């Protein structure tokens, strides 16, 4: 029996091909047209003195000081409460000021068209010693049960994460959208999060565009954008540099389109990790295209734990430029290194994955293509086309590695991929452990 640890780290064992099998086309959701930003009138009462539709609720009008030291939480909550009751209202965080607020939940439901416009600097208390003891350390800004809401502006959301990064405890996630729909995040700069910068849980209809996320390369667990149990997501024309996954896609996600994104340094764009602690994970219809990944530990990656169930299907990575990237193309189904994981026999079923026009350079410390699929549940219908990856420095060119991976090479790849198995494995049968209820809907 091939050891699980070997499947993760061994790079040179080859399998002889045994036939061929094609791939069905995957429906790729089209990028939405870039909507014009909502107009924000300068006069809060443009017509009828009694009509507050479209009003601006400046947090300084509710007592916010904006000196970077005063606690402006109460003023923000008062402005939010007032704006929440008004159609197409804007909560304004004005420029040239620095606002400090503590852990806060901005609740809905609110009237449609609510905008939080951050033109100044918004930040939490400076590190764990300044964090109020009564506040949760697991979260800072939470947007809950909202529909048709936009976060935008020309300012900065500063996480003050430096004093958290070396601590053994898990610090808070910076911005979280929870159980919300029809969301837009546009134009904002987010930096130095203690952990995840932006997280979407249980959401539907999310547009993220022109976002800038910046955190040092060695900052731990500082994922840029993480989505879980969320569907119908578009992430466009954004730049992410951080210490972990630039974008991570968790269980329960479907219909996600990522385009025009530049990641690096980072850990690339990842699906997973999935199947944690024997859980079911269902992910489908994910497209990443016209992206750049540079100076990163990973490129495009699918990572699952041993013992999980469910499936990952309908995945397309297309037109991606790699610049000095380790593990450019990677499926890792041995992501858990705990002893309890080593004897697990079930796995998340990975199928229907396309890699098209993936070009650029790789760090020679790792093979550029690594498919470590489960011993018991093979990866199937992998398609490789127009893949060309060369060493960033030196002449060493590592061989691609495959373990229990089935697929086709439509065009000759560089380096050549001689290790994909042809056809379909006999062991793959219809089983409830691979099925996902309502795979293209909410999980």
């Amino acid at each position: 029996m091939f050891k699980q640890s070997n499947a993760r780290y061994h790079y040179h064992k080859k399998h002889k091909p045994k036939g061929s099998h094609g791939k069905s086309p995957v429906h790729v959701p089209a990028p939405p047209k870039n909507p014009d930003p909502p107009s924000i009138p300068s006069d809060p009462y443009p017509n009828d003195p009694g009509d507050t539709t479209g009003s601006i609720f400046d947090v300084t009008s509710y007592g916010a000081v904006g000196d970077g030291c005063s606690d402006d939480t109460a003023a923000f909550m008062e402005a939010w409460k007032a704006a929440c009751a008004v159609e197409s209202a804007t909560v304004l965080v004005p420029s040239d000021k620095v606002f400090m607020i503590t852990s806060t939940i901005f609740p809905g439901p609110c009237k449609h068209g609510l905008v939080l416009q951050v033109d100044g600097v918004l930040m939490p208390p400076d590190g764990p010693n300044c964090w109020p003891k009564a506040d949760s350390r697991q979260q800072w800004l939470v947007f809950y049960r909202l529909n048709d809401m936009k976060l935008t502006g020309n300012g900065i959301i500063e996480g003050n994460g430096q004093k958290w990064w070396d601590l053994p405890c898990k610090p808070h996630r910076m911005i979280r959208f929870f159980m919300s729909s029809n969301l837009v995040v546009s134009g904002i700069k987010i930096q130095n999060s203690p952990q995840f910068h932006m997280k979407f849980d249980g959401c539907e209809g999310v547009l993220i565009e022109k976002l800038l996320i910046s955190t040092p390369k060695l900052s731990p667990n500082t994922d840029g954008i993480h989505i879980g149990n969320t569907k119908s997501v578009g992430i466009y024309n954004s730049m992410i540099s951080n210490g972990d996954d630039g974008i991570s896609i968790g269980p329960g996600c479907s219909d996600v389109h990522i385009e025009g994104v530049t990641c690096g340094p980072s850990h690339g764009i990842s699906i997973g990790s999935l199947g944690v602690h024997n859980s079911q994970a269902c992910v489908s219809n994910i497209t990443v295209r016209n992206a750049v990944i540079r100076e990163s530990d990973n490129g495009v990656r699918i990572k699952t734990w041993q013992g999980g169930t469910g499936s990952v299907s309908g995945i397309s990575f297309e037109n991606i430029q790699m610049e000095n990237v380790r593990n450019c193309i990677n499926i890792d189904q041995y992501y858990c290194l705990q002893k309890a994981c080593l004897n697990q026999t079930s796995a998340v079923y990975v199928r229907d994955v396309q890699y098209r026009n993936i070009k650029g350079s790789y760090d020679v410390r790792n093979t550029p293509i690594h498919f470590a699929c489960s011993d018991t549940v093979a990866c199937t219908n992998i398609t490789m086309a127009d893949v060309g990856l060369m060493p960033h420095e030196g002449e060493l060119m590592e061989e691609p590695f495959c373990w229990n991976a089935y697929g086709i090479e439509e065009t000759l790849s560089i380096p050549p991929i001689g290790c994909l198995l042809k056809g379909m494995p006999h062991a793959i049968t219809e089983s409830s452990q691979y099925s996902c209820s309502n795979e293209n809907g909410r999980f």
Side-chain angles (χ1 to χ4, degrees):
M1 173 65 70
F2 192 84
K3 299 295 185 182
Q4 292 184 355
S5 58
N6 290 345
R8 188 174 191 185
Y9 295 115
H10 189 275
Y11 295 138
H12 301 289
K13 185 176 180 63
K14 289 189 176 182
H15 297 268
K16 295 180 180 179
K18 298 182 180 178
S20 62
H21 189 84
K23 183 183 184 302
S24 301
V26 177
H27 172 70
V28 179
K33 295 180 180 179
N34 291 329
D36 293 330
S39 57
I40 301 173
S42 56
D43 180 359
Y45 309 105
N47 298 311
D48 182 355
D51 180 10
T52 59
T53 300
S55 296
I56 293 178
F57 296 82
D58 188 324
V59 294
T60 59
S61 299
Y62 292 83
V65 178
D67 61 2
C69 298
S70 302
D71 185 352
D72 292 322
T73 308
F76 271 71
M77 292 308 299
E78 286 299 316
W80 179 269
K81 183 178 178 181
C84 183
V86 176
E87 196 88 17
S88 301
T90 296
V91 177
L92 177 63
V93 181
S95 60
D96 301 323
K97 290 182 179 293
V98 179
F99 299 90
M100 191 276 289
I101 67 173
T102 60
S103 179
T104 304
I105 298 176
F106 294 95
C110 294
K111 296 286 188 179
H112 289 284
L114 180 60
V115 176
L116 174 57
Q117 180 158 331
V118 180
D119 288 336
V121 177
L122 182 59
M123 68 180 190
D126 187 16
N129 292 335
C130 299
W131 201 265
K133 293 182 178 180
D135 284 3
S136 169
R137 292 193 173 197
Q138 298 302 310
Q139 57 194 23
W140 177 41
L141 304 180
V142 180
F143 299 92
Y144 175 58
R145 293 185 64 201
L146 294 165
N147 179 48
D148 191 17
M149 180 258 177
K150 182 174 185 177
L151 171 61
T152 188
N154 299 312
I156 298 172
I157 301 180
E158 166 64 54
N160 288 337
Q162 294 88 340
K163 294 180 180 179
W164 295 90
W165 292 332
D166 292 332
L167 297 180
C169 62
K170 290 291 185 183
H172 65 80
R173 280 81 168 172
M174 196 165 167
I175 302 169
R176 184 188 185 199
F177 289 88
F178 182 48
M179 294 182 65
S180 297
S181 58
N182 300 316
L183 303 169
V184 176
V185 180
S186 176
I188 206 79
K189 181 178 182 180
I190 306 171
Q191 63 187 32
N192 299 321
S193 176
Q195 203 178 24
F196 291 12
H197 286 77
M198 182 168 289
K199 194 168 187 281
F200 295 84
D201 291 316
C203 296
E204 181 173 357
V206 177
L207 172 61
I208 301 169
E209 61 178 356
K210 300 176 183 177
L211 196 67
L212 177 60
I213 293 176
S214 178
T215 296
K217 180 178 181 179
L218 297 181
S219 56
N221 302 117
T222 51
D223 289 41
I225 301 169
H226 177 80
I227 60 175
N229 295 302
T230 293
K231 68 177 186 177
S232 301
V233 179
I235 304 174
Y236 303 104
N237 304 321
S238 297
M239 299 186 68
I240 302 170
S241 58
N242 61 321
D244 210 298
D245 294 330
I247 299 173
S248 55
I249 299 168
C253 292
S254 65
D255 301 322
V256 178
H257 192 102
I258 300 167
E259 184 166 0
V261 170
T262 298
C263 289
S266 71
H267 290 188
I269 298 174
S270 293
I271 297 173
S273 58
L274 306 175
V276 178
H277 302 309
N278 304 104
S279 60
Q280 185 186 55
C282 300
V283 175
S284 63
N285 297 340
I286 311 296
T287 298
V288 180
R289 64 192 308 268
N290 299 334
V292 176
I293 302 175
R294 57 169 60 107
E295 305 293 335
S296 295
D297 285 354
N298 296 282
V300 290
R301 176 170 57 157
I302 299 172
K303 48 184 177 175
T304 74
W305 284 41
Q306 308 92 302
T309 59
S311 70
V312 177
S313 64
I315 312 300
S316 177
F317 300 110
E318 181 181 1
N319 300 337
I320 298 175
Q321 180 70 27
M322 303 284 182
E323 298 177 8
N324 194 23
V325 174
R326 299 176 69 177
N327 304 305
C328 294
I329 295 173
N330 188 10
I331 297 177
D332 180 4
Q333 294 209 267
Y334 301 91
Y335 195 68
C336 176
L337 298 180
Q338 301 170 9
K339 288 184 178 180
C341 296
L342 299 182
N343 295 321
Q344 298 286 344
T345 57
S346 64
V348 177
Y349 179 21
V350 178
R351 58 186 172 91
D352 303 331
V353 185
Q354 299 188 52
Y355 301 93
R356 296 185 179 277
N357 195 29
I358 314 293
K359 302 291 178 64
S361 63
Y362 67 92
D363 186 320
V364 297
R365 288 177 292 175
N366 291 84
T367 181
I369 301 168
H370 188 81
F371 296 134
C373 299
S374 167
D375 286 342
T376 55
V377 185
C379 304
T380 63
N381 287 357
I382 296 172
T383 300
M384 308 290 288
D386 297 317
V387 174
L389 297 167
M390 301 294 291
H392 181 71
E393 292 182 348
E395 298 180 357
L396 177 65
M397 186 177 294
E398 293 277 7
E399 296 178 359
F401 170 76
C402 307
W403 177 255
N404 212 17
Y406 288 74
I408 60 171
E409 193 177 0
E410 288 186 350
T411 61
L412 181 64
S413 299
I414 302 174
I417 306 166
C419 57
L420 281 175
L421 300 171
K422 305 295 184 180
M424 288 286 287
H426 296 297
I428 295 292
T429 58
E430 292 298 324
S431 171
S432 60
Q433 71 173 338
Y434 311 137
S435 66
C436 293
S437 58
N438 192 17
E439 188 170 58
N440 292 318
R442 185 177 294 279
F443 301 99

